[in-house]
Amino acid sequence: MPSSIYLWVRFWVLDSCPICQKLLGYEEGDLSLKSIFSNDCKVKNILKRRGFDLTQPYFGYGRVWFDRYMRGSQIRSELALKRFRNPSIWVDLETRRVIRLVQEYGIDYFKDALFIERFEAINVSHPVNQPLAYKYQIRVVPTVMSPYAPYGIFRGLSAEESELEIERLLFTGGARIKPGQGTNIH
């Protein structure tokens, strides 16, 4: 059965950043992010609420990610609940995305297909990830790359933001958080 990444959230951090440590709960100087979510933090609570299994992380060089697997029928039912509870432009955009997938591949394929929601934390100070920091122009941490962030990139997230606003920024859209640094998108 084929699978595809449905939603991919990247969280760019530094191993010595106190704000990043407060948001993701890792220990200072942890270059490979092995101790992520060892302390209680806001992002850990958000991921638990969204159904991610935090006991099985996947590690790379200076990065860690968590996957949540869903069937197409589960995506459809969650989307219907979102439309019923809180209709917004973000729910409409996600609905159009699902409609395009169904039109392209067919309803039988979509119902049985496996979709992945991925949350990934990337350490910018790791030597392997430094070229990626230049590629994506990461100058301020924590930087969030999410479909719901302004222009797909959100720079300078504060640790004082509420869990609800951070969850909206990462997964559902409609966050009232303003970027700490403007983006120059041409």
Side-chain angles (χ1 to χ4, degrees):
M1 179 60 52
S3 65
S4 64
I5 293 183
Y6 182 68
L7 180 67
W8 193 352
V9 176
R10 293 181 188 158
F11 215 100
W12 299 83
V13 298
L14 280 174
D15 60 339
S16 59
C17 173
I19 297 169
C20 301
Q21 292 169 9
K22 194 172 183 181
L23 285 171
L24 296 176
Y26 60 89
E27 297 171 3
E28 184 177 355
D30 187 6
L31 200 61
S32 59
L33 298 177
K34 298 272 186 193
S35 64
I36 193 165
F37 301 138
S38 61
N39 303 322
D40 192 35
C41 59
K42 293 179 181 180
V43 176
K44 178 181 180 179
N45 296 335
I46 292 168
L47 294 179
K48 280 183 179 178
R49 208 171 32 242
R50 301 269 316 161
F52 282 84
D53 184 13
L54 300 180
T55 61
Q56 296 181 350
Y58 299 96
F59 292 102
Y61 294 107
R63 62 177 63 196
V64 61
W65 66 92
F66 301 91
D67 290 341
R68 176 179 170 226
Y69 301 102
M70 301 180 297
R71 292 281 178 201
S73 56
Q74 184 181 0
I75 289 174
R76 185 193 158 283
S77 62
E78 286 181 6
L79 190 56
L81 281 174
K82 281 184 192 178
R83 289 191 70 157
F84 179 72
R85 286 185 191 151
N86 188 14
S88 69
I89 186 75
W90 304 107
V91 175
D92 293 341
L93 291 173
E94 193 172 348
T95 303
R96 288 186 196 126
R97 181 177 170 199
V98 168
I99 289 171
R100 270 187 267 133
L101 283 171
V102 169
Q103 287 174 343
E104 188 173 340
Y105 295 107
I107 190 70
D108 293 330
Y109 174 85
F110 179 78
K111 280 196 292 189
D112 296 331
L114 186 63
F115 294 94
I116 302 169
E117 266 190 346
R118 179 171 287 170
F119 175 84
E120 182 176 21
I122 303 169
N123 187 356
V124 176
S125 58
H126 195 280
V128 173
N129 298 326
Q130 287 176 350
L132 292 175
Y134 290 110
K135 177 181 177 183
Y136 291 110
Q137 300 176 0
I138 307 297
R139 293 181 294 262
V140 178
V141 291
T143 294
V144 176
M145 295 178 75
S146 165
Y148 302 108
Y151 302 108
I153 298 175
F154 187 88
R155 290 182 163 88
L157 181 63
S158 172
E160 280 76 37
E161 297 293 342
S162 68
E163 282 186 23
L164 178 63
E165 290 297 316
I166 294 173
E167 183 175 8
R168 286 179 181 168
L169 178 70
L170 298 178
F171 295 109
T172 60
R176 294 186 178 102
I177 304 173
K178 300 292 180 207
Q181 175 188 357
T183 56
N184 296 328
I185 305 292
H186 300 287

